[in-house]
Amino acid sequence: MGESLKEFTLFGINMYTLSNYRFVNWARNVRSRPHTYFLPDSVDDIRIIIKRALAENRKVRVVGAGHSWSTAAATDDFMVSLDKLNRLVHVDKETLQVTVQGGTRLKHLHRLLYPLGLAMQNIGSISEQSIAGAISTGTHGTGLGYGVLASQVLSLKLVNGLGELIELKASDDDFKAAAVSLGCMGIITEVTLQCVDLYHVEEKAEPVLFNDMVTNLLTWSKSEQHPKVWWFPHTRYAMMYSYTKVPDAIRDTFAKQYIDDGVVSKLFFRGFLSMGHLSHGFRPAVNTLISKIFLKKISRVNVNYKVLNVPMPPRHREAEYAFPLDKAQEVLLRLHDLINTQKLKMNFVLEVRFTKADDYLLSACNGQDTCYIGFYYAGEKNWERYLKLFEELAMEYGARPHLGKEFTVESSYIHSVMPGIKQFNTIRKAYDPQGVFENGFTQKIFSLTP
Ligand SMILES: Cc1cc2nc3c(=O)[nH]c(=O)nc-3n(C[C@H](O)[C@H](O)[C@H](O)COP(=O)(O)OP(=O)(O)OC[C@H]3O[C@@H](n4cnc5c(N)ncnc54)[C@H](O)[C@@H]3O)c2cc1C
């Protein structure tokens, strides 16, 4: 292993280390000024960075695509990006397994898999994230037959807090910690994924009265492959989406996609959102207007990621809590009441999704089938008050926060609802004995564990 990092300058800028880098996440609610920003292109370089951090008494945070709302990736010390480690390493066509480097963006991964006739088993709403960043916060899609994205990982390699490269397989005990680990056990350099044959997905959606949606929610969530609800507060309606794998040919055109996704979703949605910014009093009327334009029956078939992903939404704030499945209906009715009685002026859809129980120590789905309720809001004004009210409701049900999104609950609460956190912390300390991967966020979460 070389002793020093590579030096390569272009127009006077070192392409591997930057000292004036400012980190801003996608939502622009998190900013930090790393002492040094590293763009390594080899595992050896990552090991050197960790050793330098240990020698200089600096902390290291690894950043993916910066698409978390939480401060999980932020640091004023060393920030490491794996943007240059984004290649396909190995494909096994017999077992449908692929190995990719940790910095590979999901959207890039879909395009690598497509010509191989392969696909990820399930995905979330967007594919901007890096594969390592996505699994590390417990990113999920929807469907009670599907776990968080980390459940597609068969093995991974990481550089731990001593600068050692370690490989973990799903059958290893520590994998349950490493699969969802917030960058706290090491820098994940490679993941091997269990893929499936490329599939098409049929999207069907229709507007349903809010009360009917709630009444049917549990039965429906169990009968559909990928069910999702978008609820437009202040209107009587919710859209119930179901996504199903089908052998059918593509029934979607570029023009239709462009009009539906590009023009309708982006321009109209953004336009109405900015009207909603003018005065909070307009919001119910604006939501009704949006619902009249948007809420129509949809039916189309396309390649999995083109249907399961949605167009990038306007910038907004986002919290999401994992509720026990059997409480979902009650929670939605109470949230409906909360919005009305507290006169919250919501200006974004609220989202309902489902995920299978797992045994990853930091996963919000640990030990329970889950109904995720996403609480979304565009703008700053009132956000903190609204979030607090939503969280008070969530806490009554022992709901667990999505660690890549916003939350303000105390660490004592997190410890009371996440049964694996103590064991995770013990394993984390073995991988990172000097706490080189800590930041304010991880210190807050783990502060109560011995
Ligand atoms: C518009 C939008 C839509 C979204 N939709 C969904 C959704 O459908 N479902 C869902 O669950 N979430 C969703 N999210 C949240 C998002 O998936 C997560 O926050 C995800 O972790 C972001 O991935 P990232 O690559 O940007 O990682 P970052 O946000 O950069 O980092 C997240 C965490 O991963 C760690 N990390 C990053 N790279 C590595 C590595 N190589 N090794 C070890 N640790 C690493 C970081 O240290 C940090 O702790 C959405 C976010 C946005 C902005």
Side-chain angles (χ1 to χ4, degrees):
M1 188 171 77
E3 285 307 306
S4 58
L5 288 167
K6 286 186 199 69
E7 289 289 333
F8 169 61
T9 54
L10 199 63
F11 305 118
I13 300 169
N14 187 331
M15 300 309 287
Y16 293 102
T17 61
L18 299 174
S19 48
N20 286 319
Y21 182 79
R22 288 169 192 226
F23 171 69
V24 185
N25 67 338
W26 174 83
R28 298 197 183 139
N29 66 313
V30 177
R31 287 163 203 269
S32 70
R33 294 192 68 165
H35 174 275
T36 311
Y37 178 80
F38 295 91
L39 271 163
D41 65 359
S42 70
V43 173
D44 280 351
D45 277 356
I46 295 176
R47 298 177 66 188
I48 294 170
I49 294 164
I50 304 294
K51 289 185 174 170
R52 187 191 282 185
L54 290 168
E56 295 179 15
N57 206 16
R58 296 240 167 235
K59 305 288 184 192
V60 178
R61 289 305 286 166
V62 55
V63 66
H67 274 56
S68 294
W69 278 267
S70 69
T71 52
T75 183
D76 293 334
D77 271 335
F78 287 178
M79 178 172 272
V80 179
S81 161
L82 264 53
D83 276 357
K84 290 187 176 177
L85 288 165
N86 61 1
R87 284 184 291 278
L88 186 59
V89 178
H90 182 71
V91 181
D92 186 333
K93 285 201 158 185
E94 286 292 303
T95 57
L96 313 184
Q97 294 171 8
V98 300
T99 303
V100 287
Q101 291 181 307
T104 309
R105 303 287 166 107
L106 297 181
K107 59 184 177 186
H108 184 201
L109 178 58
H110 302 323
R111 281 185 231 116
L112 291 170
L113 295 177
Y114 183 82
L116 298 168
L118 298 175
M120 290 184 72
Q121 296 169 39
N122 189 20
I123 52 175
S125 306
I126 60 157
S127 289
E128 298 298 313
Q129 311 94 318
S130 65
I131 181 68
I135 65 169
S136 294
T137 59
T139 294
H140 61 91
T142 186
L144 285 171
Y146 299 84
V148 291
L149 266 52
S151 66
Q152 299 173 44
V153 179
L154 297 169
S155 66
L156 55 79
K157 287 185 186 168
L158 58 78
V159 177
N160 71 7
L162 298 170
E164 301 160 342
L165 182 66
I166 294 187
E167 177 164 13
L168 288 171
K169 295 196 165 46
S171 52
D172 294 330
D173 284 348
D174 294 352
F175 186 85
K176 292 184 181 10
V180 180
S181 53
L182 292 171
C184 293
M185 281 175 61
I187 297 186
I188 297 170
T189 57
E190 243 178 62
V191 296
T192 297
L193 297 162
Q194 180 62 61
C195 295
V196 292
D197 286 318
L198 186 71
Y199 55 95
H200 287 172
V201 170
E202 176 170 39
E203 176 183 48
K204 282 192 170 163
E206 60 178 322
V208 177
L209 287 171
F210 175 81
N211 284 331
D212 290 348
M213 178 274 288
V214 173
T215 307
N216 295 322
L217 191 75
L218 272 199
T219 325
W220 177 73
S221 68
K222 290 173 186 164
S223 66
E224 296 294 334
Q225 274 176 17
H226 302 281
K228 170 181 103 178
V229 177
W230 275 12
W231 161 25
F232 289 74
H234 313 302
T235 75
R236 296 167 62 216
Y237 292 98
M239 279 292 265
M240 291 176 89
Y241 292 84
S242 63
Y243 301 89
T244 313
K245 288 180 183 156
V246 287
D248 310 17
I250 291 174
R251 194 162 22 88
D252 203 4
T253 60
F254 179 76
K256 189 172 178 309
Q257 259 179 50
Y258 181 79
I259 291 170
D260 279 0
D261 294 349
V263 180
V264 179
S265 299
K266 285 196 174 150
L267 291 182
F268 278 71
F269 207 9
R270 276 163 215 257
F272 288 129
L273 274 177
S274 45
M275 273 163 59
H277 284 319
L278 289 178
S279 159
H280 286 209
F282 286 154
R283 286 184 180 171
V286 169
N287 287 12
T288 305
L289 194 57
I290 293 174
S291 69
K292 291 224 156 86
I293 295 171
F294 266 99
L295 302 192
K296 55 178 187 188
K297 249 186 162 164
I298 297 174
S299 173
R300 62 170 173 159
V301 175
N302 212 326
V303 177
N304 58 86
Y305 59 88
K306 292 196 177 169
V307 181
L308 293 171
N309 278 171
V310 300
M312 275 307 275
R315 254 169 251 287
H316 61 278
R317 308 298 290 267
E318 190 159 325
E320 191 178 38
Y321 273 74
F323 291 83
L325 183 63
D326 59 351
K327 297 288 178 210
Q329 290 159 299
E330 188 181 321
V331 174
L332 285 170
L333 292 174
R334 288 204 48 203
L335 186 54
H336 187 273
D337 278 355
L338 179 80
I339 290 172
N340 288 337
T341 53
Q342 294 289 331
K343 299 192 182 353
L344 309 190
K345 297 286 188 283
M346 304 304 294
N347 61 356
F348 222 88
V349 293
L350 303 187
E351 190 170 43
V352 184
R353 290 181 286 179
F354 306 89
T355 300
K356 187 165 112 179
D358 60 45
D359 58 1
Y360 306 119
L361 298 174
L362 276 195
S363 167
C365 304
N366 182 299
Q368 64 181 24
D369 283 343
T370 292
C371 172
Y372 276 102
I373 300 183
F375 190 75
Y376 310 158
Y377 185 79
E380 303 296 319
K381 199 172 164 204
N382 289 330
W383 168 240
E384 282 172 21
R385 182 171 84 85
Y386 289 11
L387 175 59
K388 201 111 211 129
L389 288 168
F390 174 59
E391 288 188 309
E392 279 167 14
L393 177 64
M395 286 166 73
E396 283 187 44
Y397 292 88
R400 302 162 180 170
H402 186 312
L403 297 172
K405 303 196 177 179
E406 290 181 66
F407 58 92
T408 65
V409 290
E410 296 293 329
S411 109
S412 54
Y413 173 75
I414 297 179
H415 281 249
S416 71
V417 293
M418 297 190 67
I421 201 163
K422 206 168 167 187
Q423 194 187 348
F424 177 86
N425 204 32
T426 309
I427 299 171
R428 170 184 84 93
K429 284 182 176 164
Y431 279 70
D432 182 22
Q434 305 197 33
V436 73
F437 295 124
E438 288 175 356
N439 68 358
F441 176 81
T442 66
Q443 279 160 356
K444 182 182 168 199
I445 292 187
F446 300 119
S447 60
L448 292 183
T449 44

